Amino acid sequence: MKTNRICQILGIEKPVIQGPLSWLTDARLVAAVSNAGGLGVLGPNAGLTAQTAVSTPEATAEKMREEIRKTKKLTEKPFGVNLIPTPENDIWTPPILKVIKEEGVHAVVYTGYGEGAIIPALFDELKAAGIAIIYRDINPTPENTREAERAGADIIVATGFDEGGTLPGNVLGTFSIVPMIADAVENAPVLAAGGIVDKRTARAAHALGAEGVFAGSVFISTEESRVPLSIKEKIVAANGLDLNLFRTLPDFYRSLPGKLTSKLVEMDKAGASKEEIGNAMGGLRGLRLGMLEGNTDEGYISLGTGIGSIKTITPVADVVEQLTA
């Protein structure tokens, strides 16, 4: 793995990047991924619960500082933090970025959505601080790939519709989007995201032109994951055919069945707008309730279509090894 460009850029041993996963990450999971040779990434609500959640940008940034310092105590290896900047009136990114620089974080997963998501000044600031940029557009296209690369992205993530979480509006599977993005880049290496959970899917991603994998769902069911055992057991027992797909903001979501999910699917079938479904869904609060608290009456369990290949609850190190076998 020493000649792998993603490993060289990030200073890691294996080209496996753990998706940020919003509420579902914490220092323990992230450090476990990094200690296994990959790159763990703290999501925007890493380590928080409903009781510790805060609302101001500065307080949120300080909570992230706490989780970064907890992670440092558990690993001496590189790890990253998620950034989700917006082109206008972004009060959240500056304080988080200040903490990232002060704490010496090695890399960021820069999540982009919509027009103006690629902010050249922000890329310049990250580059000046020596922070590696993993650019992940919610809707990857050859055009925004080249724009991100010109702005300074070190690594590009090609996300297919097979993923969990916030789904792309472009309904292209991983097998279609990865070669498209791999052909679009001028020089930056590409990570494949969406439905990658074992050595078979990882090998397929490399065959399609990716130099590493960006995985989320497979880490949710690990021993080090902070989600309840009941959710891990649901993941192990399910496959992609069990997932319900529905329209919502910004485009689509999918989830394992539950009272809330059934309601959202019925609203979609009845012609409700994405805004109406999004309001009923509860945004990331619904994710916290469903996946962190195990409450599927009021929350949802968002996963990628590859979950059928997740057979057991395993240590993170075993997952990373599988993805690089």
Side-chain angles (χ1 to χ4, degrees):
M1 294 297 177
K2 291 183 179 179
T3 59
N4 182 280
R5 291 195 295 165
I6 288 167
C7 292
Q8 291 175 333
I9 291 167
L10 299 175
I12 60 179
E13 300 162 22
K14 299 175 181 179
V16 176
I17 284 70
Q18 162 247 310
L21 301 172
S22 188
W23 287 94
L24 308 183
T25 58
D26 62 4
R28 182 180 182 225
L29 175 66
V30 168
V33 176
S34 292
N35 283 333
L39 185 83
V41 181
L42 292 167
N45 296 300
L48 297 181
T49 65
Q51 289 73 36
T52 60
V54 288
S55 58
T56 69
E58 291 73 22
T60 301
E62 287 307 310
K63 284 294 183 183
M64 178 60 75
R65 189 192 301 276
E66 290 179 18
E67 207 63 26
I68 289 170
R69 290 182 175 178
K70 289 178 184 177
T71 307
K72 287 179 179 178
K73 291 180 180 178
L74 299 175
T75 184
E76 296 180 351
K77 296 186 176 182
F79 62 91
V81 170
N82 188 204
L83 283 182
I84 313 175
T86 55
E88 296 180 1
N89 302 319
D90 187 353
I91 61 174
W92 299 94
T93 299
I96 290 287
L97 181 54
K98 179 174 181 288
V99 167
I100 288 171
K101 291 194 290 185
E102 289 174 351
E103 295 297 327
V105 174
H106 299 84
V108 298
V109 172
Y110 183 130
T111 302
Y113 178 75
E115 187 175 352
I118 298 169
I119 305 169
L122 180 54
F123 276 74
D124 291 344
E125 187 173 355
L126 290 164
K127 299 295 284 187
I131 299 169
I133 303 170
I134 303 166
Y135 183 74
R136 178 177 180 258
D137 204 285
I138 295 298
N139 288 303
T141 65
E143 292 74 24
N144 60 37
T145 292
R146 287 190 283 265
E147 183 183 357
E149 190 175 15
R150 286 193 297 269
D154 297 287
I155 298 167
I156 301 291
V157 182
T159 302
F161 198 70
D162 308 84
E163 73 153 342
T166 304
L167 302 182
N170 301 325
V171 188
L172 283 177
T174 304
F175 263 50
S176 298
I177 201 67
V178 171
M180 179 186 294
I181 299 305
D183 289 346
V185 295
E186 295 179 9
N187 187 56
V190 171
L191 289 164
I196 301 168
V197 297
D198 59 10
K199 64 182 179 183
R200 295 177 298 177
T201 45
R203 285 173 176 170
H206 284 270
L208 293 167
E211 295 182 44
V213 300
F214 186 96
S217 296
V218 71
F219 287 110
I220 296 172
S221 58
T222 57
E223 292 179 1
E224 293 89 343
S225 167
R226 69 195 298 240
V227 307
L229 178 61
S230 61
I231 300 301
K232 297 178 186 181
E233 290 174 340
K234 286 179 184 291
I235 295 171
V236 170
N239 63 47
L241 296 174
D242 297 317
L243 294 165
N244 294 319
L245 179 69
F246 52 90
R247 297 177 311 119
T248 185
L249 295 173
D251 293 296
F252 299 94
Y253 255 76
R254 63 168 62 90
S255 170
L256 284 176
K259 186 175 179 179
L260 175 63
T261 303
S262 296
K263 174 185 175 181
L264 299 175
V265 170
E266 289 305 314
M267 288 178 67
D268 192 8
K269 289 179 179 178
S273 69
K274 291 195 295 184
E275 289 76 13
E276 290 171 326
I277 297 172
N279 289 335
M281 182 179 172
L284 291 178
R285 174 181 177 273
L287 184 148
R288 174 178 58 76
L289 289 171
M291 301 189 74
L292 195 58
E293 299 183 15
N295 178 356
T296 56
D297 286 347
E298 300 177 87
Y300 54 89
I301 304 172
S302 181
L303 300 160
T305 57
I307 59 169
S309 296
I310 301 173
K311 306 296 187 183
T312 59
I313 299 169
T314 60
V316 160
D318 289 357
V319 170
V320 174
E321 183 63 30
Q322 271 282 310
L323 295 176
T324 53

